[in-house]
Amino acid sequence: MEKQNVYEKPVTLKNILKFAIPTIAMTVFMSFYTMVDGLFVSNLIGTNALSAINLTAPIIQLVTAISTMLATGGSAVIMKKMGEQKTEEAKEDFTFLILVNVIVGMVMCTVGYLTMNHIFAGMNLSADVETYCIKYLSRYLVFTIPILLMNNFTLYMIASEKANLSLICSVTGGILNIILDYVLIAKLHMGIGGAAIATGIGYSVTAVVGFIVFSQKKNLLHFKKPVFRFKVLTHAATNGCSEMATALVTGIITMMFNWTMLYYVGEDGVAAVTIIMYVLMFASSLYTGYSYGVAPMLSYYYGEQNHKKLKKLVTISLKVIIGISLTTVIASFLLTKPLVSIFARSDNPVYDLAVTGNRVCTIALLFIGFNIFASGMFTALSNGIVSAILAFSRSFVFMLITMILLPFIFGVNGIWLATPAAELMALVLSVFMFLKYKNKYKY
């Protein structure tokens, strides 16, 4: 009954933010995991090691893509069933999808170990950078299953009105990551492998707490004897395919950025791209956190066919996204040099590259928020096809076009322009889909 009351509260900015702020804070702290690794690695080991973290990122994104698909798609399916009062069936599906993630984690970990040496050997890297890549990824893969469970439990905690607990887990994991980075790298001299271990242990906090929480029957969602429903698996996969596509193509685009930078500038360029990605990732985490926070509400109101609340929620959300967009653009422009100087000294060639690149890429923050929200909204409304079209077009098609054409025309500056140009093209498509389906969903 407590859960019902939460979703039956009036849709106001105050109530929405109560639901979403813990999630925003959580995703921001989650973005710190990778950034903290980069901070310690660049300052204590060097920019070559920082380049290695970015070079391993595509493989890591491939590893987590399927889990992201099942987590986001499954959450929407389960919360829709909750809105339809099919609570027992939702619990069975929840347990089943968690088991699927464990199996996926085992498979992806094995594949990662079997292929990583061949992948890095074929990238024509310096011996130093290639060694860093293998050391980082080999330690990171040890934590594959906890990381996949963390992705799932994070969303299910939010859906179960435990966003504050999810936030506490993220903050605890982030602090633990920072402490372990210092201890393992600076004190125990474990190098880049220590950074990977610190990140893995930080992620594991949510996995352990989530397992304990969802084992308790008093919670809205809890483990129950699973029932294999192939339809649920396909529905979750279809509904969350946009998020999987985003993770997959982000990895592909990251590889393209790396290859292009290696061609035009060399490994210093890869380090500069890494710094800029950290800034964009931090800003994007605000939009992602908000979208995750309101997604259960969107799914629930859609499930009970409460069009009035659905419309009000979407309207207020658009205003929030605009506010965040303007704030992040101004902040990124003003803080470019201080942000870059955290990772690279001013006498390092990486510094000037990253300062120029960040100022150009910051323009993308005007468009990213609406694109992320639109894709997440259609996932929450169980329209995985539209969500996938938006995510795939934004993350792959438009980025592929701009990454091929703009560097050819403008050189290195074209690499920085690729992201804002692709996000602008994605914005046009997002607005089109938003208006096209407005009458169908009555938002």
Side-chain angles (χ1 to χ4, degrees), residues 378-399:
F378 282 109
T379 296
L381 296 174
S382 293
N383 194 332
I385 301 300
V386 171
S387 183
I389 291 171
L390 293 178
F392 186 73
S393 298
R394 169 186 171 241
S395 301
F396 184 70
V397 177
F398 298 145
M399 279 300 302

Side-chain angles (χ1 to χ4, degrees), residues 205-218:
V205 171
T206 301
V208 173
V209 173
F211 188 84
I212 295 170
V213 167
F214 292 114
S215 296
Q216 299 172 1
K217 293 186 177 180
K218 64 181 181 180

Side-chain angles (χ1 to χ4, degrees), residues 78 81-82 84-95 221 224 227 229 232:
I78 288 167
K81 286 190 176 184
M82 285 289 190
E84 295 168 343
Q85 307 303 313
K86 300 176 181 177
T87 55
E88 295 306 307
E89 193 174 317
K91 292 171 190 174
E92 293 168 352
D93 294 342
F94 161 67
T95 311
L221 273 179
K224 189 177 179 179
V227 176
R229 294 186 179 94
V232 169

